[in-house]
Each structure stands twice: as C-alpha cells, then as structure tokens.
C-alpha cells in the first residue's frame, strides 16, 4: 500500500472513528480482527489503513511514547522522525536563544515541530509531500500556534515573513532536518540530501537569528573549522545510551559561543510507564566541548581500557576522556584510551585489561582456550579483521566469556583481552 492509501481513509470521520475504536495492537490478532471488521461491513481499504496505523502507533512508542496513541504516521515518516525527547532539546535550544517563531523546513510527520510547539514556540511547518503534510497537520492539531504549509522549502523565506526590525511577529529561527534517504538508500553526499546541505547553510542570509540543521553523525568535523563551509557554526553530536543518534549544526543565537564541536551524552530514564513499557525520557549525563580541549599523550597499554562514547569520538573530544581518567592513547590516530587507574566515567565504557598480545590467530586461540573462554565479544578500531570471521575462526568451546579488542599501536597489530567494568 502507498502512504496515501495508508492515511487517506483515516482522514474521514468514519475512518478516524474506526482507528480510535481499535484495541491495543497485537500482531497475532490483527488478521482475525481485520476479517471480523470487514464482515461487519467496514470497507476493506479503511480496515487496512486503520490496522496499518495501529501497528505504526505501537512501533512509534519508542520514539514518541504515549503521544503515539493520538498521532498518525507513515512508515517512512516514522523512520525519519526525531525521538521526541531529543526534539525537545532542539526546541529548548531555540527557546534559550530567544526565538519565538520557528520555521521547520521539511517537517515530515512533525515530531520536531510538536516539540517546538509544546515549548510555546510558534511553528510554521513546511512539507512538500501531500500525505506527509496531512499527517503533520493531524499531529499538530492541538497546538494553536502551529501551522503546516504544503510547499517546497527552497522557496523560503517566501511567503513567510522573517522577523527583521520593523516586521514583528515574523520567523526568527529556522530548523532543517533534511531527507537523507532516497528510494530506501542512505545518501552519503550532503549535496544529495533534500534540501541540500549548502542550501541549509545559506539560511543565515535570510535574516533569521538562529538556525539548526540536522546532519549525518558521520559528517566531516572540518566543516566547522575556520576555513570550512560551516565556519562560525557549532556542531553538536548527541548519543543516547551509547548510540550516536544525531549531529546538528547550530548557528546564531542557537550556537554555543566559542564552541565549534560538542558532544552530549544522554541516558534513557529506565522507569516503566503505567502499561509496563519503558518511557522515552532521557537525562543528560553531560556535555563536552572543544573549548579547552587537552591534547592526549600516547603510551603503553595500562591496566584499564576506556572506549569513549561515540558522540565524544565523532566530535573529536577524546582528549577530555584521557584527561579525566589520567590516561593516554594507545595510538595517536585511534580512539582507545588506556590508564593505570579505574576511573568510572560517563564519557567512556571501561574495561580491566587481562592480556595484551601481538596479533596472531593461533596465539589468541591458545590464550582463550587456556582461560576456558567459549564466547567472545569482538571490538575493533584500526584493525582490518572482520569480527564475525574471527569468532568463527577461533572455534571456541567452554563457558567463560571475554571481550577481545583488535587494534594497533603504530604499524603493530595488537589484541587486548579485557573484561567490562561497571559504569559510574
Ligand atoms: C527527515 S524528514 C523530517 C523529520 C522531522 N524532523 C520529524 O521529526 O518528524 C525530512 C522531510 O523533509 C521533506 N522535504 C525534503 N525536501 C523538501 C523540500 N524541498 N521542500 C519541502 N519538504 C521537503 C521530506 O518530504 C521529509 O518529509
């Protein structure tokens, strides 16, 4: 079914009523439920759309929590949507910078726009896909100061007024979360995104006072260097529970003064909701930036290994981790920190080093067998060896577990056998 077929029947009162009357989604019961509804006289297209939506609402709980129950989704729109608590942090940045009216340029199903509207910002959400714009309109229906416009964003600032002196009430901030996939494939070239990155980076020229542009976490750090295309912007990476979820380029009053790169580590708040599901809320464990970034020394592997959080690595801030744990890098080009003390830190996972071996399959196998290790977790940085192939080639038996770290020191390949330690 197309996104339009998934959504259009639900925009009619009888379709919406059917959706709202459905029991909580149960994959095993969906087929039978569909047959019963059709036998009771409900049109097949409406039943199919309502059941699809019921499934999407269940899938969306991980991103938007209990709000999912009152929202509409498209499959693609849900995949591309920001997690609501992360969206709330975008909105908060704009608000703290003094913005009052934000234009969301390419709003998708509207999760970022919902967070902005929920924080009392007026929102003009622009979307060029008709079905997606209809879904965003439904999702923003409770917010009086949010409007959805069916339009191409590259026409902005027409016809929306920018808040220049003398035009009060105009747009004073812009948010862009470009589509970074086409036909289900990820687009690695930022110029292929829609809208393209260079267009988003030109938005300060419209006169808005603050801009945020979501980019791929793997974006080049050099972008924000003084000679880069985003000089003067702050690049902010964010991880949730150790997974890097986004990078955003911030400009104007939404940027952080004196900061080119930052990394924020968030943790899910694990308490269960009333229906037993985990909540989607997050808590900030901390933020690091390149301001005052210490240079890390390089040296021998010590008694402990630290694997920095992905956001810290992407932002190029591993020097802070080394400073905090009193450690050093194993290799100047590789983001593993080692130290002689165990200092639990939110910036890295820590491990006790049990053995340091020169690379060699036979040597590693003999070591692991001797220690009764039957199962290994393989990690690698700076090593060409495929972890899955290594696991197969080791042919281990036994109950013991170990973590094997494949890395290098200069040209020398090394293997560390380590055991995870508790975090802070
Ligand atoms: C990554 S999604 C936005 C997700 C949104 N931030 C959220 O949290 O739900 C990008 C959206 O931009 C829209 N888009 C891409 N190019 C556009 C253009 N030139 N004009 C208007 N919308 C566009 C796509 O249709 C897509 O829905």
């Amino acid at each position: 079914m197309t996104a339009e077929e998934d959504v259009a029947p639900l925009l009619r009162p009888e379709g919406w009523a059917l959706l709202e009357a459905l029991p909580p989604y149960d994959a095993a019961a969906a087929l039978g439920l569909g047959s019963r509804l059709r036998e009771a006289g409900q049109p097949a297209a409406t039943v199919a759309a309502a059941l699809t939506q019921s499934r999407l609402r269940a899938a969306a709980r991980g991103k938007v929590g209990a709000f999912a129950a009152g929202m509409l989704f498209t499959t693609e729109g849900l995949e591309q949507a920001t997690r609501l608590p992360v969206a709330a942090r975008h909105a908060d940045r704009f608000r703290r910078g003094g913005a009052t009216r934000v234009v969301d340029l390419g709003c998708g199903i509207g999760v970022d726009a919902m967070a902005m509207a929920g924080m009392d910002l007026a929102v003009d959400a622009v979307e060029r896909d008709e079905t997606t714009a209809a879904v965003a309109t439904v999702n923003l229906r409770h917010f009086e100061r949010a409007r959805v416009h069916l339009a191409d964003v590259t026409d902005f600032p027409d016809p929306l007024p920018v808040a220049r002196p003398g035009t009060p009430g105009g747009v004073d901030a812009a948010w862009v979360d470009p589509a970074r996939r086409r036909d289900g494939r990820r687009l690695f070239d930022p110029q292929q995104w829609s809208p393209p990155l260079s267009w988003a980076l030109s938005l300060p020229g419209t006169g808005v006072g603050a801009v945020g542009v979501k980019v791929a976490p793997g974006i080049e750090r050099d972008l924000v260097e003084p000679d880069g295309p985003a000089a003067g912007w702050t690049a902010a990476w964010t991880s949730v529970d150790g997974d890097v979820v986004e990078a955003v380029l911030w400009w104007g009053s939404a940027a952080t003064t004196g900061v080119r790169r930052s990394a924020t580590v968030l943790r899910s708040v694990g308490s269960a909701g009333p229906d037993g599901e985990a909540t989607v809320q997050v808590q900030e464990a901390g933020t690091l930036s390149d301001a005052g970034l210490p240079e890390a020394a390089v040296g021998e592997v010590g008694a402990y290994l630290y694997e920095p959080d992905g956001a810290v690595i992407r932002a190029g801030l591993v020097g802070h981790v080394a400073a905090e744990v009193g450690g050093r890098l194993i290799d100047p080009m590789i983001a593993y920190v080692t130290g002689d003390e165990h200092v639990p830190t939110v910036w890295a996972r820590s491990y006790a080093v049990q053995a340091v071996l020169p690379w060699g399959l036979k040597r590693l196998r003999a070591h692991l067998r001797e220690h009764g290790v039957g199962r290994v977790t393989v990690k690698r940085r700076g090593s060409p060896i495929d972890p899955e192939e290594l696991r197969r080639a080791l042919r281990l038996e036994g109950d013991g577990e170990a973590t094997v770290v494949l890395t290098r020191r200069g040209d020398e390949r090394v293997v560390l056998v380590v055991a995870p330690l508790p975090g802070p």
Side-chain angles (χ1 to χ4, degrees), residues 80-82 106-112 127-128 151-153 177-179 194-195:
Q80 298 191 346
T82 304
C107 69
I109 59 164
V111 177
D112 272 304
E127 172 59 53
R128 71 173 172 191
D152 193 303
V153 300
D177 178 2
S194 187

Side-chain angles (χ1 to χ4, degrees), residues 110-122:
V111 177
D112 272 304
M114 282 169 67
M116 291 174 207
M119 287 210 182
D120 230 17
L121 293 162

